[in-house]
Structure formats: C-alpha cells, structure tokens
Amino acid sequence: MSVGVPRLRAEDGPRYGLRDLFTPLETLLASGGDQRLALDPRDGLNAYACAPQPTPEIWNFASSTASSISQAAYERAALAREELVHKSLFDEVEVAFDARLEDMRDELRTHLQLSPRVDVVFSPSGTDAQLHALFLARAVLGAPPVTIVVGSEQTGSGTAFTARGRHFSSVTASGVSVRKDSPIAGLGGDSIALPLMAEADADSAVLRAIETVVAQGAPVLLQVMDSSKLGWRAPSEACLDEIAKRWPGKVQVAVDACQMRLGRRRLRFYLDRGYMVLVTGSKFFGGPAFSGALLVPKGFARTLDRLNEIAPGFLDYASRFDWPKGWNGLRSCFERRPNFGQWLRWEAALAEIAAYYALPGAFRAKALGELRAGIDDMIALTPSLGAIPSASQRSSVDDEEFIHDTIFPVMLLRGGRPVSIADTNAVYRALARDLNDDVVGSAADRQVAAQRCLVGQPVRLERPDGAQTAALRLCIGAQLVTGAWSADAVQAQKNLQHVLDRIAHVLVKIELLLGRPNGAASASGA
C-alpha cells in the first residue's frame, strides 16, 4: 500500500493557491490528512476501503468507521471548488477561502441548531480535533491538564497519543514529518485511560480518577463518551453534575461525539454546560473521511485573547483558517496554509447533513426505529451472529430520533462459540471483496459472494472469561435514511425494506464465509 499522503502546498502568493485548486478533485479530496487517507495505487481505496469518488456499487453499512463520498456530496464539492476558483479571480485565494470557511461555520451551526455564539474550529479529523481540545483546555485551565479518557478502548486509536499531547502519526495533515508517539513540543503531558464498564462502576472510576489528579495539584481535561464505537455513552449525567459541584474551575469537559449519533438537543445541552464537543461529518452523516471539528462554547475567545505563547509543536496541527475569524490573536500565530482537502471534505459532509435535516423529524425517527427493529430481528435469527447488548443510558435530555440504536455490534460464531480475532478481521476484509470466483457453489451463493459490502471495522472485546474476541458492526447512517425518503408513504416503506433486504444479503454473505471448510481467511486472501 502506498504510504504517501498528497500534500498540496500553498506557497507565498495567491497564484500558487489558485494553481492547487486545479488539481484533480479526487486528489484534493484525499489530501490534507494523515496516512489514513493514503490511497492504495492498486485499487484507489484508502485504509478503510473507501474511495474519494462515488462507489454506488459497494453497499455501505460502515458509517461507524468511514464512507465513500456520495454522488450528491461529490457534486457539491466540485461546485464549491468551481465557485472558489471564480471568486479567486477577483480576490486573493486566501481571502475568498477564509470567507467561505466562515460561511460554512454558519451553515453547520444552522443545521445543528446551535447558537451563533458557539465557535467552530475545523480540523482534518476527529483525532486532530482532540489535539485542538487539549490546546484550548490548557489555555482555559491555566496549566497543563491530565487528560482522563472515558471509554478509552472504544474511541479512535489515535486518542492514546493525543490525550498525552503526542504525535499520533508519522506525518501531520500539513505534511510535516514527525516521530509517532513523541511529545508535541509544548503540549506533552499525562493521561489516564478508563475503559467502559457498567454505569455505576464507570461513574465511580471517573470520580476517583479526578479526585486523585486534583489532589496532586493538576487540573483535568475529562474526555467523556457520547457515543463509543459500539454506540455506548459514559459517564452518567448525575456523575457530570457531581463533578461540576465538587471541582469548579478544575475540570474541563470535552465530549467525544465524533460518531454524531446524538440529538441536537443533547448537543446544545453539552455546549450550554460549557463543554467542548468533538464532532465529525464523516461518521453518522457519511461525509468522506476525514472531516473533524471542535464545537467551542461561548466564553473561550476571551481566555484565548490572554494567551502569551503557543506550544511550538502545535503549529503544525492547524492553520490560520481553521480558527474562527473572531479569534484574531490566536489566528495570527498560525501560517496561512489553506487545507483544500479538509475544506472539500467538509463541503461534502455539509451536503449530507443538510439533506438529512431537510427530512421531516417524524420520518427520521420512524426510519431509524424501523431499521433498528428489522436489524435486531435478523441478527437474532442468524445462527452465526451473537448480538452485543446496547449500553444506552436513560437521559433527562430528549435525544430525538437517536433514542434508537444506530450501531449493531455482533460477535461471529462458529459452532456457537466466538471465532478468533484473526477470523473476524478476515471476514471484515472478505465482505469488501467480490468473491464470485472464490466460491464453489450455487449461482445464488456466487451472487451473494460477489456483492462488495462495507461494515464497521472490528472492535476488540474482552469476554467475561477474560478471553479476547472482536465484534463487527452493522451501522445505520444518514445516507440510508435520506435515500429512503419519499413523500409517498408507501414508496418510503418500500425503500426502507430495500435497505433491510441489503442488510440481509450482508448477513447471508457472513454466513457463507463462516461456513467455508477452510474458514473465512481462505476467502479473504489473508
């Protein structure tokens, strides 16, 4: 696999930025990120088997991990580039680019029904946004915090590094080569990882960890989970209330909502309490990977105006245009480095967000409810799948349509026992391949094997007996709901059934793979 990530350089002077805009759109969409965006030259796919151009022939139930760009989103990105080129003929590229990003902040706030006083910091990925949250927390708390990560085993793999202010890859989104796991100059620190567990146990573990850190004289950046890779949330609202009461001014909360599987009321609830919120346009909403952002509650800008210095290593993780225009002092410390890839991925994501929230709320809730019920029933009837119970919490906040689960983790079973992690990974890879030529069987079996399907990447789990296994994830994303909508209720119902029929096809392919005499690995080429 290719390990290079396209780096588009905006040299001094507007003409170089304008030149970069004429780069092929697929190249732009895969630029301005870390190695996870790198495309394999053999098939043009990134590490998640997703492409920077529409691939409607691949069925996507992998929104907990990543999605290929849809046709509508691709067309919006193409139009956005055309419009920026046109505006740049009359003004400097940097000026037009900065103005467009400010308009996009307004658009995102409008779709999510957020106050104009909520600031939006754009980033190449949710992982980069975690570094932005750590940087801002240091400024607000007045000292380097200890980061406590709740649900550490069910968040992005880069969190183990970003929580400690360390490089999470060997190259930054700006194209600077770094040493993975080495401290980011001026940002390095300590962290505590807390796995997800039963609600009461999770709350107790969080309170104990904060109490220990504060007693040692350090402030805390608490990264809470809503929701995890398996759709779980922790700690409880009661726990967060207790934290606010016991340690005012000592704990800054950042909510990991990168999956974006929460209602807009819940989002506002967090921001109204002064929490930062990590979001993406590339999980539930199905925009192309990676499009991250940090939602910042009102009041942070005043603190940032008093900043005397910037962690020097952090300068490679943002550009001037990522920060809101009102943050003049902070913006002046960063390079004028337009990240066209990040911008276009967000243009695409905003197209998906707009389409989803343009639908009637009643239909969104009905669609998620019916898809959940259908998937639950099919999993229960599939002998080779073991459902993993939801750990959803009851809440005082109306979570709108997201009262329904949208991630369905399953263990793969053979003879009633979980298969190995290696076989789970093999099935995951095999689902994404056309295996028509590898299957000896009926025409129906070959048709099932030929269909390429994406599901959420395997998540490692520890069984009650201590043994390690992994879960695959079937996911409902916004694109499935948007695609099912019709003003004709009968047609809309047929469309939802069509989605369920495709999921049934995926489950049959899993059964076929697990039933092969030599195991799933032989079908995957592993």
Side-chain angles (χ1 to χ4, degrees):
M1 174 176 285
S2 169
V3 295
V5 179
R7 183 183 181 191
L8 303 175
R9 297 181 57 85
E11 311 287 356
D12 294 334
R15 65 189 181 92
Y16 293 102
L18 185 59
R19 179 194 65 193
D20 289 338
L21 285 171
F22 289 100
T23 303
L25 186 58
E26 290 82 359
T27 303
L28 282 168
L29 285 165
S31 70
D34 58 63
Q35 289 175 308
R36 295 171 291 176
L37 271 179
L39 301 178
D40 188 326
R42 294 169 297 181
D43 56 18
L45 303 178
N46 61 27
Y48 304 124
C50 293
Q53 66 274 337
T55 54
E57 71 279 6
I58 303 176
W59 296 351
N60 194 314
F61 302 104
S63 60
S64 62
T65 298
S67 305
S68 291
I69 191 170
S70 70
Q71 185 63 43
Y74 186 85
E75 290 173 0
R76 164 153 175 174
L79 179 60
R81 179 177 65 165
E82 181 181 326
E83 291 176 345
L84 185 63
V85 168
H86 178 74
K87 290 177 181 177
S88 298
L89 298 176
F90 302 95
D91 210 338
E92 293 186 2
V93 173
E94 292 177 1
V95 174
F97 183 73
D98 208 9
R100 177 58 196 146
L101 288 183
E102 202 67 11
D103 289 343
M104 291 168 69
R105 290 185 177 94
D106 286 338
E107 183 177 349
L108 182 61
R109 280 188 289 256
T110 297
H111 293 323
L112 298 179
Q113 298 180 340
L114 302 178
S115 163
R117 300 186 67 183
V118 171
D119 285 310
V120 179
V121 179
F122 286 121
S123 63
S125 69
T127 313
D128 289 272
Q130 289 174 329
L131 288 176
H132 296 165
L134 176 59
F135 167 75
L136 294 180
R138 289 171 70 106
V140 169
L141 294 168
V146 173
T147 303
I148 298 174
V149 181
V150 183
S152 55
E153 83 286 20
Q154 287 192 39
T155 185
S157 59
T159 302
F161 306 103
T162 57
R164 296 177 292 138
R166 290 174 172 260
H167 297 292
F168 61 87
S169 181
S170 60
V171 63
T172 70
S174 59
V176 176
S177 295
V178 295
R179 185 162 58 87
K180 185 175 180 178
D181 199 24
S182 63
I184 298 171
L187 205 61
D190 297 324
S191 71
I192 298 172
L194 299 178
L196 285 180
M197 55 189 80
E199 180 177 322
D201 294 335
D203 288 356
S204 296
V206 169
L207 294 173
R208 284 196 305 271
I210 295 175
E211 186 172 41
T212 299
V213 172
V214 173
Q216 294 171 350
V220 171
L221 170 60
L222 177 65
Q223 182 172 306
V224 305
M225 182 63 71
D226 189 354
S227 62
S228 75
K229 289 182 177 182
L230 300 181
W232 298 354
R233 180 192 306 148
S236 70
E237 288 175 20
C239 180
L240 294 173
D241 290 340
E242 179 70 13
I243 291 167
K245 186 188 306 180
R246 290 175 61 180
W247 298 291
K250 298 290 186 182
V251 180
Q252 174 60 52
V253 175
V255 181
D256 181 351
C258 287
Q259 285 289 339
M260 285 304 283
R261 298 173 193 274
L262 74 171
R264 292 181 288 188
R265 292 189 185 94
R266 173 171 292 281
L267 204 55
R268 292 195 299 272
F269 169 78
Y270 288 139
L271 291 162
D272 289 346
R273 294 184 67 149
Y275 302 166
M276 294 183 283
V277 183
L278 300 147
V279 301
T280 70
S282 56
K283 299 296 187 188
F284 175 77
F285 289 114
F290 302 103
S291 47
L294 182 67
L295 305 181
V296 183
K298 62 183 181 183
F300 272 59
R302 291 192 299 272
T303 300
L304 296 174
D305 286 340
R306 299 192 293 270
L307 270 182
N308 296 319
E309 59 180 337
I310 306 294
F314 182 62
L315 295 173
D316 292 327
Y317 281 94
S319 81
R320 179 171 306 184
F321 307 112
D322 295 333
W323 309 104
K325 270 193 172 182
W327 296 13
N328 295 318
L330 182 63
R331 281 166 57 97
S332 67
C333 299
F334 288 82
E335 289 185 35
R336 297 172 179 170
R337 187 175 54 227
N339 187 329
F340 293 131
Q342 172 185 309
W343 158 58
L344 288 170
R345 291 190 295 274
W346 260 112
E347 291 278 9
L350 285 169
E352 303 290 3
I353 297 171
Y356 180 75
Y357 282 119
L359 303 181
F363 177 78
R364 299 197 307 267
K366 170 185 169 63
L368 292 186
E370 293 197 7
L371 292 174
R372 181 205 65 185
I375 294 171
D376 282 343
D377 287 346
M378 284 189 282
I379 291 173
L381 293 170
T382 304
S384 61
L385 300 182
I388 296 173
S390 168
S392 299
Q393 293 180 351
R394 294 182 62 84
S395 169
S396 62
V397 181
D398 178 5
D399 218 16
E400 301 157 279
E401 66 263 39
F402 291 96
I403 193 173
H404 301 294
D405 293 333
T406 57
I407 298 177
F408 304 86
V410 293
M411 282 189 293
L412 306 186
L413 308 175
R414 186 182 288 118
R417 296 184 58 81
V419 305
S420 67
I421 293 174
D423 271 357
T424 302
N425 285 326
V427 169
Y428 166 73
R429 293 191 298 270
L431 286 170
R433 296 181 59 225
D434 177 350
L435 301 176
N436 177 63
D437 295 335
D438 298 321
V439 171
V440 177
S442 67
D445 283 349
R446 291 196 298 274
Q447 182 181 8
V448 167
Q451 179 59 54
R452 299 168 66 191
C453 322
L454 297 181
V455 299
Q457 277 187 322
V459 177
R460 290 190 175 228
L461 298 172
E462 184 172 320
R463 289 159 49 191
D465 60 3
Q468 293 287 321
T469 186
L472 288 182
R473 295 167 292 161
L474 291 163
C475 309
I476 301 171
Q479 289 182 10
L480 299 178
V481 178
T482 304
W485 161 250
S486 172
D488 181 335
V490 174
Q491 184 60 52
Q493 194 66 42
K494 289 180 180 178
N495 294 341
L496 289 173
Q497 185 58 52
H498 180 63
V499 174
L500 291 172
D501 290 344
R502 287 191 166 189
I503 293 174
H505 188 116
V506 175
L507 300 188
V508 172
K509 186 170 181 178
I510 292 174
E511 289 266 281
L512 183 65
L513 292 169
L514 290 174
R516 288 174 61 84
N518 297 323
S522 62
S524 71

